[in-house]
Amino acid sequence: MSVVSPNSPTEQDLAAVAENAERAVNHITDARADIARIIFGQETVVEQTLVTILAGGHGLLVGVPGLAKTKLVETLGTVLGLDARRIQFTPDLMPSDILGAEVMEQSSDGSRSFRFIPGPVFSQLLMADEINRASPRTQSALLQAMQEYHVTVAGNPHDLPRPFHVLATQNPLEQEGTYPLPEAQLDRFLMQIDVHYPDLEAERRILLETTGAEQAKARTAMTAEELMEYQQLVRRMPVGESVVEAILKLVRSARPQEGAAASDVTNLIAWGPGPRASQALMLTVRARALVDGRLAPSVDDVLALAEPILQHRMALTFAARADGHTVRDVISRVKEKIA
């Protein structure tokens, strides 16, 4: 298998990656076990959330209220050793409530000066709870932070702590009192993670283990410094030529095309994913391999992550929606070309 890497790794590099990966897998396994003691029946959601963070990105958790989205983010903050803070997004929330503000202070000699008071965005793991309940103006306060890892207040830039991740929860858009996130902000989320109802056995366990006098508490499985080390490890993992070609074919097949290149599938797409989607897949397939204890990703990883990577980066035409097509159906048809 030919290997593609921007750094052309040597045998010594690959040996170092393998050695570091073994230690990373042990910590990741411990983290998943600790999360499983708190969150029941959401194994896929937990995996995708860990993949998002290991890939160094932000995640958007979408689901109806009461599915433990907020609990999952709180648990992750403890397990991964991150300084976590939570913002409850409401219609009256202002950008300064997120970023912070400058206040004027008067010293004992009568001189006055401005002092910056950091907002809750200055954390390592920011939980943006029900992000689509705030106005678009407030939602936009996170755009610079999520992309550039600093914020600008009164013309002065302020760096954010590292690592910095945003895990936002969102109720379905059909619910009352919600504002759709703009496409520019959706694209900054590495993955959209759909949270579904638990199965029967998981819900039975929820009933028995969360309504008693004592409840399990999360434990720290790694430090923030170790997490950053594993994020760099993900970027050093080798990627096969077949995986690169699968990523390119998948993303390019999800864009609208004209002329001879058009097909029954692409004619349904109004706009599709850009190169950022390809970059997201390149990182997340490596992270997924590491979470599963493998040293290199496969085409199966590309297919498994196609929906959470692409679904919030594309839209269907009006005619396609009128005919009952959905984004998930279109992605499934695109995946068939890769498989």
Side-chain angles (χ1 to χ4, degrees):
M1 178 185 71
S2 59
V3 172
V4 176
S5 173
N7 299 321
S8 301
T10 64
E11 291 186 3
Q12 290 181 341
D13 293 332
L14 295 176
V17 168
E19 181 180 351
N20 293 335
E22 183 177 354
R23 183 162 56 91
V25 168
N26 291 334
H27 276 161
I28 293 170
T29 301
D30 292 341
R32 294 184 72 173
D34 283 334
I35 296 171
R37 294 188 305 107
I38 312 296
I39 307 296
F40 311 126
Q42 299 288 2
E43 288 80 8
T44 301
V45 173
V46 171
E47 179 189 79
Q48 292 180 356
T49 307
L50 281 173
V51 166
T52 299
I53 293 178
L54 283 170
H58 314 290
L60 181 63
L61 299 159
V62 179
V64 300
L67 296 183
K69 301 187 297 296
T70 303
K71 187 68 173 177
L72 171 60
V73 180
E74 291 176 348
T75 303
L76 279 168
T78 301
V79 171
L80 300 181
L82 300 177
D83 173 26
R85 298 188 185 182
R86 174 178 177 269
I87 303 174
Q88 178 63 54
F89 279 66
T90 57
D92 61 346
L93 191 73
M94 299 296 290
S96 59
D97 297 327
I98 301 173
L99 305 179
E102 287 194 332
V103 297
M104 180 176 288
E105 290 185 336
Q106 182 171 337
S107 61
S108 57
D109 61 2
S111 61
R112 297 178 180 180
S113 61
F114 284 99
R115 181 171 67 92
F116 176 66
I117 300 179
V121 73
F122 288 86
S123 60
Q124 294 175 319
L125 180 63
L126 179 66
M127 182 197 310
D129 212 356
E130 296 185 300
I131 188 173
N132 59 331
R133 291 203 179 278
S135 66
R137 177 188 178 191
T138 301
Q139 292 175 8
S140 67
L142 286 175
L143 285 173
Q144 185 183 30
M146 294 173 65
Q147 181 65 29
E148 302 173 18
Y149 299 99
H150 71 263
V151 298
T152 303
V153 179
N156 298 315
H158 301 275
D159 292 332
L160 296 172
R162 300 303 298 269
F164 174 73
H165 301 280
V166 175
L167 290 180
T169 67
Q170 175 176 290
N171 295 325
L173 294 179
E174 297 80 19
Q175 292 199 341
E176 184 177 355
T178 57
Y179 300 84
L181 270 67
E183 291 78 7
Q185 183 159 1
L186 283 173
D187 197 32
R188 280 165 169 77
F189 286 104
L190 193 70
M191 285 204 287
Q192 176 181 317
I193 304 167
D194 291 333
V195 185
H196 302 290
Y197 293 108
D199 58 28
L200 177 61
E201 290 306 315
E203 192 159 2
R204 185 191 307 276
R205 188 180 175 192
I206 291 172
L207 289 177
L208 296 176
E209 297 197 24
T210 63
T211 59
E214 296 184 2
Q215 298 184 24
K217 295 183 179 180
R219 299 174 298 195
T220 301
M222 66 180 74
T223 65
E225 289 74 20
E226 288 172 331
L227 174 61
M228 294 177 66
E229 179 184 339
Y230 302 152
Q231 289 173 342
Q232 288 300 313
L233 174 64
V234 166
R235 290 177 173 269
R236 294 168 56 198
M237 293 174 65
V239 181
E241 178 68 30
S242 60
V243 175
V244 175
E245 291 301 320
I247 291 173
L248 292 172
K249 186 175 182 180
L250 177 72
V251 174
R252 298 181 68 84
S253 298
R255 297 170 181 166
Q257 298 172 349
E258 298 178 357
S263 65
D264 293 340
V265 176
T266 57
N267 285 332
L268 302 174
I269 302 171
W271 52 270
R276 189 176 286 169
S278 304
Q279 295 172 319
L281 275 168
M282 193 71 166
L283 288 171
T284 54
V285 295
R286 290 161 158 169
R288 188 174 189 265
L290 186 62
V291 169
D292 289 344
R294 292 177 281 116
L295 297 180
S298 67
V299 176
D300 289 338
D301 294 313
V302 178
L303 297 176
L305 294 174
E307 186 172 302
I309 293 292
L310 298 182
Q311 62 180 330
H312 61 297
R313 291 185 165 98
M314 56 190 298
L316 304 186
T317 63
F318 176 80
R321 288 183 278 115
D323 290 339
H325 295 284
T326 65
V327 170
R328 292 181 181 87
D329 295 337
V330 172
I331 293 175
S332 296
R333 293 171 64 178
V334 171
K335 285 167 60 176
E336 291 174 0
K337 299 181 179 181
I338 309 301

